Amino acid sequence: MRGVNSLTALFFSSMILPASLGSSQASRRDAQVVLSGTTDGVTGGQERYDGESVWRVKLGDHDRARREEVVQMFESLGGDIWHTTSDTIDVRLDSTSSQLLMDNQLHATTTIEPFIPDLQSLIDSINVDLESTSTSFKKKNNNRNKNKQDPFNLTTIDTPFHDTYHSVEDLYKFGDKLVETFDGKDGVVVTSFEIGETFEGKKLRGWSAKLQSNSSGSAMSTSGRTRTDRGGGGVTDGIEREFVVQSGQHGREWVGPSSAFYFLHSLILAATSDPSSEAALLLRSFTFTVVPLINPDGYTYSREHSRLWRKNRQQVGSKSCLGIDLNSNWGYKWRYPKAVSPCSESYPGKEAFEAYETKAMGYYLGNGTERGTKIRAFVDLHSYGQLFMFPFAHSCEDYPSDAEMLMEAGLGVAKAMRTKQGEGYEAGQACDLTYRAPGDAIDFAYGVTDIRWSYSAELRDTGTYGFMLPPSLIRPTADEITAGLMYLAKFIYVAEIAN
């Protein structure tokens, strides 16, 4: 590690880096756009990342205020920002750029270290696990009529479906099996719907579940005891309360869609197995909606061609680069940063809601009354970082009026997640905990559609695997976010319904 003078010396390196970092990574991105041909499961046709590594830049206290400048500097040089905290930045670089980073001067209080020194080796090791679990899943699916455990037997949470990653087709099949298995059972209503299409024509689909109200259900009180629920717990002025979970904005964040479906599956199972349970009460009080994969184009491209693909696959007027960063394209405090190239992983588009996916989901969030619902909660699942954050993301100078309540609920969620699996999660305001650009989903949900309980969750881990979370950690991750979402629903119930 090296450290002298000032972080501004990194900006001097922009005279050197674009010729190497910019050209080498831009050429690789060009290859991403034209990759074609047959693929073989998860790994076939995959772009390789030989010689690349992920570095953690640790800023000293003196440099925290300059986090945004450093992030923008790396982005302008073609670096792929993986994660930021108040005092660290994780960035993916090729071998030439990594050497230049080490050779250029950093502030004395700043250190840099490669915490994933060989990115391709990590991907290769995870792919071995993926191939093994994928093969096991296919065998069980093909042999499900021969007394083998059927991945699509949803009568148990122990289905092997929750132990590996899946194609868009299998994810959607799972959602349809939820409808087939549970709709009409013990008063449960499970429905599927479409909110639009992607640039490539894939369906954007969601699933909702609710439990029809009765006059004898038990309800939570602020003391944790139960009281009698006198009727339509989920209805206020003829409008159903809705709790929306969205995931998969970024193609490479595979654990989000898996966790979203695990949550809905677990909730329905718990409610149908015990009509007097808290799960049943919550399912009577809210319509729970999951949109598990808002970016199926990017997700498919990540699985079949380029593991670390982040954006959607929309044409943006560039001859060599595709895609919009969906989580920078929502219509609240959106602005166009002229310095960001269409090749950048964080390219926000030329205007808010230019992306097909954000436009469709934004309409869904903003027009609940057309469906007879009022959305009370919106949680956007991402990875990685183990964070649970409330608005605003675009600026810490813009503070939500409900900040105290949002923080109280968020701290409870973090505790519930830690209690479930032992993994620590941090709660707080998004702009403080991680660097976010304008146009964030939770800012739109809170600032435009008036969804009071709006949060963004960064799931596992804290950097050991980053986006390449092994399949053995899918279920524990999903289990802990399920505990967190259940806590949030109970908190809202006590705050808005029980009293």
Side-chain angles (χ1 to χ4, degrees), residues 149-186:
Q149 190 173 5
D150 178 6
F152 292 102
N153 173 11
L154 305 193
T155 60
T156 172
I157 198 65
D158 293 329
T159 166
F161 186 91
H162 295 308
D163 296 312
T164 191
Y165 298 110
H166 301 280
S167 66
V168 174
E169 293 75 17
D170 277 348
L171 285 170
Y172 286 180
K173 179 180 178 181
F174 181 89
D176 290 338
K177 284 291 183 179
L178 282 175
V179 178
E180 179 183 320
T181 304
F182 295 105
D183 186 40
K185 178 182 179 181
D186 300 324

Side-chain angles (χ1 to χ4, degrees), residues 256-317:
S258 297
S259 297
F261 263 143
Y262 182 98
F263 163 68
L264 190 61
H265 185 202
S266 176
L267 175 65
I268 296 172
L269 280 173
T272 54
S273 64
D274 183 0
S276 64
S277 64
E278 288 185 346
L281 169 67
L282 293 173
L283 206 54
R284 280 194 295 271
S285 302
F286 301 94
T287 295
F288 285 88
T289 294
V290 166
V291 180
L293 193 55
I294 192 178
N295 182 14
D297 291 352
Y299 178 83
T300 299
Y301 198 80
S302 173
R303 283 179 55 82
E304 296 181 352
H305 294 300
S306 180
R307 176 63 185 88
L308 297 176
W309 185 264
R310 169 183 168 93
K311 301 181 287 183
N312 73 356
R313 296 289 298 167
Q314 191 165 333
Q315 293 180 2
V316 292

